Amino acid sequence: MANRAGGSTFSVLGTDIVVTGNIQAQVDLHIDGKIEGDISCASLVLGETSEVTGAIRAESARIAGQVNGSIDAGQLIIDRTARISGDVCYESITIEQGGQVDGKFMHRGAARGKVLPAGDSHPATLDLAEAGLIQS
């Protein structure tokens, strides 16, 4: 672990690390290895070599590797090298050209049951295949 400004800490799991089991942390995580389990943390960075099989929950996440499972993040960045197979729930999202997602998108407000404007049954759900943005 290393200290960052403000005294918060972060942990790095390198490319040679394989974890079978859930990870729950109050700190920021940077993962380049393989995780078979759910991840819950404050901030998450998945490097290009990372592979996660499980659900991810973080206030901010930057995904550059492979995820097989759902993602729930406040601020989400999907890098061009990301390959996600699972549903994505977010507050704000950025998808770089080339990033791939096979799943449904839902804004956290819609997921939490907020009232939707009249005549707008699913404004925060985007089916990328129907929109012609990905091939199904």
Side-chain angles (χ1 to χ4, degrees):
M1 276 192 263
N3 284 331
R4 285 195 324 188
S8 65
T9 59
F10 68 95
S11 295
V12 177
L13 300 177
T15 57
D16 59 336
I17 302 294
V18 176
V19 175
T20 302
N22 297 337
I23 297 175
Q24 191 167 16
Q26 300 298 318
V27 297
D28 301 343
L29 295 177
H30 181 111
I31 299 173
D32 289 318
K34 184 175 181 179
I35 309 297
E36 294 180 11
D38 298 341
I39 300 171
S40 178
C41 62
S43 179
L44 176 66
V45 174
L46 292 182
E48 289 185 25
T49 60
S50 65
E51 295 179 36
V52 175
T53 301
I56 294 173
R57 183 173 183 87
E59 276 311 304
S60 68
R62 182 178 194 104
I63 311 295
Q66 182 175 325
V67 177
N68 292 304
S70 63
I71 299 174
D72 184 344
Q75 179 181 0
L76 178 61
I77 299 171
I78 300 173
D79 283 359
R80 61 180 175 74
T81 57
R83 304 296 178 259
I84 300 168
S85 179
D87 294 343
V88 175
C89 186
Y90 62 91
E91 281 184 36
S92 69
I93 189 167
T94 301
I95 304 173
E96 292 183 356
Q97 186 173 358
Q100 295 179 7
V101 179
D102 181 15
K104 294 183 179 179
F105 286 83
M106 181 171 288
H107 189 270
R108 274 187 173 176
R112 304 275 189 265
K114 287 188 176 179
V115 177
L116 302 175
D120 212 355
S121 61
H122 297 286
T125 301
L126 173 62
D127 186 321
L128 294 181
E130 286 180 11
L133 299 174
I134 62 170
Q135 297 177 358
S136 52

